[in-house]
Amino acid sequence: MPTFVVVGLQWGDEGKGKITDILSAKSDYIVRYQGGNNAGHTVYVGENKFVLHLLPSGVLQDKGKCIIANGVVVDPKAFMEEIDTLESQGLSTDHVFISRRAHIIMPYHIMLDTYREEFAGKGQIGTTKRGIGPCYEDKISRVGIRAIDLLNPDILEEKIKENLKVKNALFEKLFDKPTVDYKDILEQYLEYGKKLAHRIVDTELEINQAIDEGKNVLFEGAQALMLDIDFGTYPYVTSSSPTTGGVTVGAGVPPNKLETLIGVSKAYSTRVGNGPYPTELFDEVGEQIRKVGHEFGATTGRPRRCGWLDLVALKHACMINGITHLVITKLDVLSKFKNIKVCTAYETEDGKVIDYFTSSTTKLALYKPIYEELPGWDEDITKISSFDELPQNAQSYIHFIEKYLGIEVYLVSVGPERTQNILKKELF
Ligand code: GDP
Ligand code: IMO
Ligand code: MG
């Protein structure tokens, strides 16, 4: 069963896109199974930069079939813009398909997301304002509009009208905003339906058959464990399950068909948006990481919050995901630091030392990181391709992470370009 799942283990932006791109060279299928265009996955191929939001990063290899499965929320406008951008960059997108079961982001979802954040003031989550949360809410409330509905004018009209009764009441009475008319939306979305009809297909049967036939099937996660709706820092999370478990419901693949579970973590940590983050740095070290690592969001352009690696949080992430293979990215960004800190435990608000993650977001905000300090290295490591050639202290840093987590690192990424990797072990 050659199945591979790539998930983020921190707060997103670990470099999942780059890792998916590498693995896609040998994959027959590349499947996105959760999230939407809140994601931003940047891949460098030579001098060319590609940013994927909704499409699987595997589209860049032009080999495997790319599927946006049922668990993803799809903004058709964003989808078509992304297709146009990629085609203008010379790529083919004929092999990209959307599940008929995938839920559709409507303009009123984006409005709701935006108004709610405004309304929440200081308590806002810091969402990407792409309508992700409101679309998943409608799905769970059983009033959502699915890709298949775009192909049926009568059903689409009825559903939009029903939804707008509630949404318009909220816009008018709670948010003091203008209401929206169903006709404009209907016309626009029927047009999307016509343009996308040839891409809207059933996907779960095909994916399962491909696995049964021994094809290489790769699942690309968006976001990450610390943004997971259940196991992240709730409510400062996204509205889906960016876990390996998320594949089962997000693509219709049973757990006993999932084999290689790859977790991606930066050699340090970052976060975009609000919420507790114990190892966040507010000093010049954090500033240096941001500058050297170019830590600015690919979707919203916001500067990312930066800090040291948090092994307590990482262990929690590896446990929930059952990670079998670890990837450490951006090790090159840590070159030149005299010492590198790693958080191995927390001191709680009442002085206790703990080495496990908490479900209390309010308490987590009060925890202080307890660090071990490891010696840094001075060398530029961006051209190194074998683990033995890394400076001794960089090797020791990787070994320290492996020992703490009890999981082997199979790949170390030392630069943004597709080929800047140290492969410790062949996967397939
Ligand atoms: P994703 O959302 O997990 O796919 O990650 P993003 O693409 O949002 O953010 C990762 C950023 O780091 C991108 O700009 C990548 O080009 C870049 N990147 C990935 N791996 C490395 C690496 O090993 N070193 C450096 N310097 N940059 C990297
Ligand atoms: P990738 O796939 C980093 C964050 C937002 C916000 C929270 C909720 O590139 O790793 P949402 O719009 O999802 O309701 O916002 O989640 N967030 C991300 N942060 N990388 C991402 O995706 C993210 N997707 C959502 O900043 O804090
Ligand atoms: Mg990203």
Side-chain angles (χ1 to χ4, degrees), residues 98-136:
I98 301 171
S99 164
R100 303 208 303 177
R101 296 178 190 271
H103 279 249
I104 298 294
I105 297 181
M106 307 296 290
Y108 48 79
H109 291 139
I110 298 169
M111 291 170 192
L112 255 182
D113 199 357
T114 309
Y115 299 160
R116 246 195 228 146
E117 285 283 274
E118 278 172 20
F119 195 73
K122 274 191 163 175
Q124 62 180 231
I125 289 163
T127 73
T128 58
K129 298 186 182 156
R130 299 293 190 271
I132 307 295
C135 184
Y136 276 117

Side-chain angles (χ1 to χ4, degrees), residues 5 7 26 56 88 94 100 125 147 173 183 199 210 224 231 243 265 276 285 327 338 369 372 374 383 400 405 407 424:
V5 187
V7 291
K26 291 188 186 168
S88 72
D94 295 346
R100 303 208 303 177
I125 289 163
K173 305 247 162 48
K183 282 197 212 80
R199 298 186 189 267
F231 299 104
T243 56
S265 168
V285 176
V327 173
K338 195 162 181 301
E372 285 212 23
L374 305 178
K383 292 185 183 66
F400 187 90
L405 300 173
I407 305 171
K424 277 185 72 194

Side-chain angles (χ1 to χ4, degrees), residues 219-241:
F219 298 92
E220 177 185 12
Q223 291 80 50
L225 195 277
M226 305 309 291
L227 293 171
D228 178 78
I229 187 76
D230 283 283
F231 299 104
T233 53
Y234 192 89
Y236 301 100
V237 291
T238 192
S239 298
S240 66
S241 293

Side-chain angles (χ1 to χ4, degrees), residues 332 334-338 340 375-381 391 393-394:
D332 53 302
L334 292 186
S335 293
K336 310 263 178 247
F337 283 100
K338 195 162 181 301
I340 297 168
W377 58 92
D378 225 17
E379 296 89 331
D380 173 1
I381 60 169
N393 288 345

Side-chain angles (χ1 to χ4, degrees), residues 57-334:
S57 305
V59 71
L60 303 180
Q61 294 278 6
D62 196 19
K63 179 179 185 298
K65 199 161 174 175
C66 291
I67 291 184
I68 296 176
N70 56 283
V72 178
V73 286
V74 179
D75 180 335
K77 182 166 180 272
F79 177 87
M80 289 197 314
E81 281 170 5
E82 203 164 316
I83 292 274
D84 288 348
T85 306
L86 288 176
E87 290 193 344
S88 72
Q89 288 178 289
L91 291 168
S92 158
T93 61
D94 295 346
H95 55 315
V96 180
F97 296 90
I98 301 171
S99 164
R100 303 208 303 177
R101 296 178 190 271
H103 279 249
I104 298 294
I105 297 181
M106 307 296 290
Y108 48 79
H109 291 139
I110 298 169
M111 291 170 192
L112 255 182
D113 199 357
T114 309
Y115 299 160
R116 246 195 228 146
E117 285 283 274
E118 278 172 20
F119 195 73
K122 274 191 163 175
Q124 62 180 231
I125 289 163
T127 73
T128 58
K129 298 186 182 156
R130 299 293 190 271
I132 307 295
C135 184
Y136 276 117
E137 282 171 40
D138 280 0
K139 171 178 179 174
I140 300 300
S141 300
R142 295 160 293 180
V143 297
I145 291 171
R146 302 192 300 169
I148 192 173
D149 299 328
L150 296 181
L151 310 179
N152 188 326
D154 293 339
I155 292 181
L156 186 63
E157 179 169 345
E158 193 189 319
K159 283 194 168 188
I160 294 176
K161 276 183 179 164
E162 276 307 305
N163 271 288
L164 280 181
K165 282 185 195 160
V166 179
K167 270 43 171 200
N168 273 336
L170 276 174
F171 292 161
E172 196 178 4
K173 305 247 162 48
L174 182 64
F175 297 116
D176 199 18
K177 300 281 184 190
T179 56
V180 288
D181 185 54
Y182 87 90
K183 282 197 212 80
D184 299 340
I185 300 181
L186 179 64
E187 200 180 314
Q188 195 185 13
Y189 275 66
L190 282 175
E191 196 54 37
Y192 292 147
K194 277 188 207 145
K195 289 197 173 135
L196 297 178
H198 64 292
R199 298 186 189 267
I200 299 177
V201 296
D202 276 329
T203 57
E204 59 275 10
L205 179 64
E206 188 173 348
I207 295 171
N208 276 286
Q209 276 176 346
I211 296 172
D212 295 343
E213 285 163 13
K215 299 213 163 110
N216 290 331
V217 181
L218 173 63
F219 298 92
E220 177 185 12
Q223 291 80 50
L225 195 277
M226 305 309 291
L227 293 171
D228 178 78
I229 187 76
D230 283 283
F231 299 104
T233 53
Y234 192 89
Y236 301 100
V237 291
T238 192
S239 298
S240 66
S241 293
T243 56
T244 54
V247 176
T248 62
V249 286
V253 175
N256 62 354
K257 282 189 184 169
L258 300 180
E259 198 178 43
T260 305
L261 309 178
I262 303 164
V264 187
S265 168
K266 280 176 183 161
Y268 49 94
S269 63
T270 61
R271 175 166 203 170
V272 205
N274 299 330
Y277 173 15
T279 61
E280 181 169 12
L281 291 167
F282 299 94
D283 55 8
E284 66 280 6
V285 176
E287 196 49 57
Q288 192 178 339
I289 292 178
R290 187 174 305 109
K291 209 168 128 212
V292 180
H294 302 289
E295 294 296 356
F296 295 87
T299 300
T300 57
R302 291 177 287 179
R304 295 174 181 149
R305 300 156 69 188
C306 296
W308 296 118
L309 187 65
D310 182 342
L311 285 177
V312 183
L314 205 55
K315 198 166 192 166
H316 168 72
C318 288
M319 176 186 75
I320 301 293
N321 282 302
I323 295 305
T324 59
H325 294 70
L326 203 58
V327 173
I328 299 294
T329 60
K330 304 191 97 159
L331 189 66
D332 53 302
V333 175
L334 292 186

Side-chain angles (χ1 to χ4, degrees), residues 8 12-20 39-44 49-52 57 220-223 264 266 268 292-299 304 328-333 382 412-417 420-421:
D13 306 325
E14 295 86 354
K16 300 175 290 295
K18 178 186 163 175
I19 304 306
T20 301
H41 302 170
T42 304
V43 182
Y44 283 88
K49 178 183 176 180
F50 298 94
V51 185
L52 289 316
S57 305
E220 177 185 12
Q223 291 80 50
V264 187
K266 280 176 183 161
Y268 49 94
V292 180
H294 302 289
E295 294 296 356
F296 295 87
T299 300
R304 295 174 181 149
I328 299 294
T329 60
K330 304 191 97 159
L331 189 66
D332 53 302
V333 175
T382 54
V412 181
S413 171
V414 290
E417 213 279 330
Q420 288 178 292
N421 307 302

Side-chain angles (χ1 to χ4, degrees), residues 351-411:
K352 269 202 289 226
V353 173
I354 59 167
D355 64 356
Y356 52 86
F357 208 69
T358 173
S359 52
S360 169
T361 303
T362 39
K363 283 201 170 165
L364 184 66
L366 303 172
Y367 288 0
K368 292 199 186 81
I370 297 177
Y371 289 117
E372 285 212 23
E373 208 160 309
L374 305 178
W377 58 92
D378 225 17
E379 296 89 331
D380 173 1
I381 60 169
T382 54
K383 292 185 183 66
I384 292 180
S385 59
S386 120
F387 192 76
D388 299 336
E389 286 167 27
L390 277 176
Q392 202 54 51
N393 288 345
Q395 291 189 30
S396 302
Y397 185 65
I398 296 295
H399 288 318
F400 187 90
I401 297 170
E402 288 178 320
K403 191 161 174 235
Y404 186 99
L405 300 173
I407 305 171
E408 231 182 302
V409 170
Y410 100 90
L411 189 147

